Short mmCIF file of all heavy atoms in Angstrom, two decimals:
data_model
loop_
_atom_site.label_atom_id
_atom_site.label_comp_id
_atom_site.label_asym_id
_atom_site.label_seq_id
_atom_site.Cartn_x
_atom_site.Cartn_y
_atom_site.Cartn_z
N ALA A 13 -7.04 -13.10 -8.63
CA ALA A 13 -8.00 -12.42 -7.79
C ALA A 13 -7.50 -11.09 -7.31
O ALA A 13 -8.23 -10.11 -7.25
CB ALA A 13 -8.40 -13.31 -6.63
N PRO A 38 12.51 21.98 -10.99
CA PRO A 38 11.56 21.65 -12.13
C PRO A 38 12.19 20.80 -13.23
O PRO A 38 11.53 20.20 -14.00
CB PRO A 38 11.21 23.06 -12.70
CG PRO A 38 11.40 23.96 -11.53
CD PRO A 38 12.56 23.44 -10.77
N THR A 69 9.33 -4.45 -9.56
CA THR A 69 9.96 -5.58 -8.93
C THR A 69 9.01 -6.26 -7.92
O THR A 69 8.17 -5.61 -7.33
CB THR A 69 11.29 -5.17 -8.19
OG1 THR A 69 10.88 -4.31 -7.07
CG2 THR A 69 12.21 -4.42 -9.10
N PRO A 87 4.98 -0.70 -21.86
CA PRO A 87 6.35 -1.23 -21.92
C PRO A 87 7.02 -1.26 -20.57
O PRO A 87 7.94 -0.49 -20.31
CB PRO A 87 7.03 -0.29 -22.91
CG PRO A 87 6.36 1.01 -22.63
CD PRO A 87 4.89 0.70 -22.33
N THR A 110 8.54 4.18 -6.13
CA THR A 110 7.23 4.05 -5.53
C THR A 110 7.07 2.77 -4.85
O THR A 110 7.51 1.70 -5.34
CB THR A 110 6.09 4.33 -6.54
OG1 THR A 110 6.17 3.34 -7.61
CG2 THR A 110 6.16 5.66 -7.17
N SER A 143 -4.72 0.54 4.66
CA SER A 143 -4.61 -0.56 5.62
C SER A 143 -5.76 -1.65 5.43
O SER A 143 -5.65 -2.75 5.96
CB SER A 143 -4.77 -0.05 7.07
OG SER A 143 -6.05 0.48 7.28
N LEU A 176 2.10 -5.81 9.70
CA LEU A 176 0.82 -5.12 9.51
C LEU A 176 0.71 -3.80 10.31
O LEU A 176 0.12 -2.80 9.87
CB LEU A 176 -0.33 -6.05 9.97
CG LEU A 176 -1.74 -5.45 9.90
CD1 LEU A 176 -2.09 -5.13 8.49
CD2 LEU A 176 -2.74 -6.38 10.52
#
Side-chain angles (χ1 to χ4, degrees):
T69 67
T110 58
S143 67
L176 178 65

